[in-house]
Amino acid sequence: MKWLFKEADSNMYREKLYGCRSPRSNIIKTLTKALETKDFINAGHAERLQDLVVATARSVGLHTNAINGLRLLAHAHDVGKVSISSGILYKPGPLNEEEIKEIQRHCEIGHRIALSSPDLSPISEWILMHHEWWNGEGYPLGLKGEEIPMECRIFAIADAYDAMTSDRPYRQAQSVEYAVTELRRLAGSQFDPKLVEVFIKVIQSSNCKPNVIGLR
């Protein structure tokens, strides 16, 4: 019963984060706006991700609590990038080995930030694991296959798709067709192959424009 009350309390707060009258939602809005102001995320990235992960999660039958958590993850996943040098984030060319290690730290930094916030602590583990790969070659934990939470596997596909179909400091946006081809090419290595096909069906059935619906 103690666990159930704790879980119900966490779910209630997640719901309130999306209520327009809830002052607690200002925490996430302020955080997102701060990241956008510093250009750590491109405008509209979080909103597009939210649409994509919610649609995919519903397609695979995830429950409401998981969907609410994914909405929150869409807005807070990159919070750890506040500590990463802008010279690395905006570098026009490929990153060197040391720069790659530096940018990979954002998952662990974001995890620690989330643990310190009652609003973000329920998704702190997802923030830590949202760059894990299906084949175990991701970071920071090197988790493999279904060791990675379903929510993180869905998020990773949506994040990569949005990164490919949006302008980045180091390249212009790619076409939807290119992104779909890349997702299928990386299915089984970077991404859960079954979820890739679910995701592709979601975007192909959507009437939204592709950039209205990382790889750094």
Side-chain angles (χ1 to χ4, degrees):
M1 288 299 295
K2 183 178 180 181
W3 178 87
L4 286 174
F5 278 120
K6 182 179 179 181
E7 187 71 6
D9 188 57
S10 295
N11 292 336
M12 178 185 69
Y13 281 132
R14 289 185 217 180
E15 289 283 358
K16 284 186 176 181
L17 282 171
Y18 303 104
C20 60
R21 297 181 182 179
S22 171
R24 300 177 69 86
S25 66
N26 290 333
I27 296 171
I28 304 305
K29 291 176 182 176
T30 301
L31 173 63
T32 304
K33 185 58 65 177
L35 292 171
E36 287 180 349
T37 299
K38 292 178 176 289
D39 281 332
F40 285 120
I41 56 175
N42 63 315
H45 175 59
E47 288 74 17
R48 293 191 302 271
L49 272 181
Q50 179 175 286
D51 290 344
L52 288 167
V53 296
V54 167
T56 307
R58 285 175 175 160
S59 292
V60 297
L62 289 189
H63 54 76
T64 302
N65 294 340
I67 291 173
N68 286 337
L70 277 167
R71 286 194 180 105
L72 189 54
L73 183 64
H75 288 271
H77 65 285
D78 271 343
V79 62
K81 286 186 177 179
V82 295
S83 68
I84 306 300
S85 163
S86 60
I88 294 177
L89 290 173
Y90 310 144
K91 185 175 179 179
L95 302 178
N96 62 39
E97 185 175 346
E98 190 169 326
E99 290 167 336
I100 290 172
K101 289 180 180 179
E102 178 67 16
I103 204 166
Q104 288 180 348
R105 291 179 58 242
H106 81 274
C107 293
E108 296 170 83
I109 295 168
H111 177 244
R112 291 198 296 271
I113 292 172
L115 285 174
S116 69
S117 166
D119 299 306
L120 297 180
S121 61
I123 63 161
S124 60
E125 295 299 308
W126 295 354
I127 291 175
L128 178 66
M129 295 184 282
H130 75 277
H131 276 293
E132 299 290 344
W133 283 26
W134 181 255
N135 65 1
E137 295 182 7
Y139 64 88
L141 303 177
L143 300 180
K144 184 177 183 180
E146 293 186 1
E147 293 175 346
I148 308 166
M150 170 81 80
E151 294 83 357
C152 292
R153 284 179 269 149
I154 290 172
F155 182 86
I157 296 167
D159 192 31
Y161 173 82
D162 189 70
M164 286 187 281
T165 56
S166 302
D167 288 331
R168 294 285 160 141
Y170 45 90
R171 57 150 179 80
Q172 292 185 326
Q174 304 286 352
S175 68
V176 172
E177 292 75 16
Y178 173 90
V180 167
T181 299
E182 281 296 286
L183 290 178
R184 284 192 166 129
R185 183 178 69 83
L186 296 170
S189 56
Q190 186 170 348
F191 307 120
D192 180 333
K194 292 182 179 178
L195 288 178
V196 164
E197 291 307 316
V198 172
F199 180 84
I200 290 171
K201 288 180 181 178
V202 167
I203 61 173
Q204 288 178 340
S205 64
S206 173
N207 292 322
C208 296
K209 295 179 181 179
N211 285 336
V212 181
I213 304 263
L215 293 169
R216 294 183 183 180

